[in-house]
Amino acid sequence: TYIGSIVASVNPYKSIPGLYDCTAVERYSKHHIGEIAPHIFAVANECYRCLWKRHDNQCILISGESGAGKTESTKLILKFLSAMSQHSLELSCREKTSCVEQAILES
């Protein structure tokens, strides 16, 4: 669930198909936080948008007990940010522009 721009999540201790695949990355990259179901990708997307649109430094704090999934959450955030960066680079190359911000705003 969301608490402002904070997502409180629970480790299901099992794999849930489709929860963190490329389709989920794409879905959350097209929505602002709170528009669709809570997800770690929504938090990562909000940080990414704020970084490029407002030029604000961003920080994601991941907290929890031992075994709660902090390392896995970090990997998922990095997966999302990597996918978004790659997408922005592809748009820039396709449009022959070096302006990454413009590519992000258009996606």
Side-chain angles (χ1 to χ4, degrees):
T1 186
Y2 289 117
I3 305 166
S5 61
I6 298 169
V7 65
S9 61
V10 177
N11 185 349
Y13 296 101
K14 65 179 181 176
S15 186
I16 300 174
L19 190 59
Y20 304 114
D21 62 8
C22 292
T23 305
V25 169
E26 189 170 327
R27 181 172 55 250
Y28 282 90
S29 72
K30 295 178 180 177
H31 293 89
H32 291 281
I33 196 164
E35 289 181 348
I36 56 178
H39 198 287
I40 196 164
F41 290 166
V43 173
N45 187 49
E46 185 69 13
C47 287
Y48 194 72
R49 286 176 183 261
C50 288
L51 179 68
W52 288 105
K53 280 186 163 183
R54 291 190 247 158
H55 304 285
D56 289 338
N57 292 330
Q58 299 296 303
C59 175
I60 297 175
L61 176 65
I62 300 172
S63 179
E65 298 292 327
S66 177
K70 296 179 298 295
T71 301
E72 292 304 313
S73 294
T74 301
K75 290 178 191 177
L76 291 168
I77 288 171
L78 292 174
K79 174 183 175 176
F80 182 90
L81 295 175
S82 176
M84 290 299 291
S85 296
Q86 182 63 35
H87 178 69
S88 295
L89 178 62
E90 289 169 0
L91 284 176
S92 294
C93 290
R94 209 176 320 138
E95 296 173 4
K96 304 282 192 246
T97 178
S98 61
C99 184
V100 176
E101 180 179 5
Q102 183 64 32
I104 293 167
L105 295 174
E106 292 175 359
S107 65

